[in-house]
């Protein structure tokens, strides 16, 4: 356990985790819904209010986690305020780009609700980080 803690406190491990998470999230968001490369067992079917709310909550959590991970990665090398700004910008840019690219993916489409959830997730994480670290 101490080895894992030590390894994660090293710069390269943090960067690999942040980049790995970003790539994995991008894969999840851009894979076709009908035949996903990685099936998470998420509900499929008609677009209902409950389904949209469920997926929006997942978007919010995923982009909050993205902001936390990038802040955790960058903060070792930069001032906390700059690290937080960079983390928020990375998370929001990723949210915008993935939503735009979904329109090019089979059986997917860009969603304003998901985009809002992505941005809100990043901003909620930023608020929590601000309170704790800045």
């Amino acid at each position: 356990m101490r080895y894992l803690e030590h390894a994660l406190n090293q710069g390269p491990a943090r960067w690999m985790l942040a980049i790995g998470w970003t790539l994995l999230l991008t894969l999840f968001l851009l894979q076709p819904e009908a035949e996903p490369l990685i099936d998470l067992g998420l509900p499929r079917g008609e677009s209902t209010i409950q389904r949209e709310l469920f997926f929006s909550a997942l978007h919010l959590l995923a982009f909050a986690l993205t902001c936390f991970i990038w802040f955790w990665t960058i903060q070792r090398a930069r001032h906390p305020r700059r690290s937080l700004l960079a983390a928020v910008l990375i998370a929001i840019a990723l949210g915008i780009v993935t939503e735009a690219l979904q329109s090019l993916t089979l059986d997917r489409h860009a969603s304003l609700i998901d985009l809002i959830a992505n941005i809100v997730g990043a901003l909620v994480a930023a608020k929590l980080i601000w309170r704790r670290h800045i």
Side-chain angles (χ1 to χ4, degrees), residues 38-55:
I38 301 172
D39 191 355
L40 299 174
L42 298 173
R44 295 186 184 137
E46 291 183 38
S47 182
T48 63
I49 294 292
Q50 293 85 0
R51 186 173 186 273
E52 291 302 317
L53 289 174
F54 174 76
F55 280 107

Side-chain angles (χ1 to χ4, degrees), residues 28-72:
F28 286 146
L29 293 172
L30 296 181
Q31 66 182 349
E33 191 173 298
E35 294 183 28
L37 300 170
I38 301 172
D39 191 355
L40 299 174
L42 298 173
R44 295 186 184 137
E46 291 183 38
S47 182
T48 63
I49 294 292
Q50 293 85 0
R51 186 173 186 273
E52 291 302 317
L53 289 174
F54 174 76
F55 280 107
S56 293
L58 287 179
H59 276 257
L60 193 140
L61 291 172
F63 282 87
L65 181 59
T66 301
C67 187
F68 279 120
I69 289 172
W70 278 104
F71 174 76
W72 176 73

Side-chain angles (χ1 to χ4, degrees), residues 106-120:
L106 284 174
D107 73 8
R108 299 293 297 267
H109 63 281
S111 165
L112 182 60
I113 294 170
D114 289 346
L115 178 61
I116 291 168
N118 297 348
I119 294 169
V120 169

Side-chain angles (χ1 to χ4, degrees), residues 120-133:
V120 169
L123 295 177
V124 166
K127 179 74 170 179
L128 294 172
I129 293 167
W130 182 272
R131 284 184 173 175
R132 174 143 174 117
H133 292 283

Side-chain angles (χ1 to χ4, degrees), residues 75-105:
Q75 73 165 333
R76 289 186 47 87
R78 301 281 178 245
H79 187 276
R81 288 182 186 190
R82 287 185 179 171
S83 300
L84 181 56
L85 177 60
V88 169
L89 291 176
I90 289 168
I92 290 175
L94 180 65
I96 292 169
V97 168
T98 54
E99 281 306 313
L101 289 175
Q102 280 182 356
S103 63
L104 303 175
T105 304

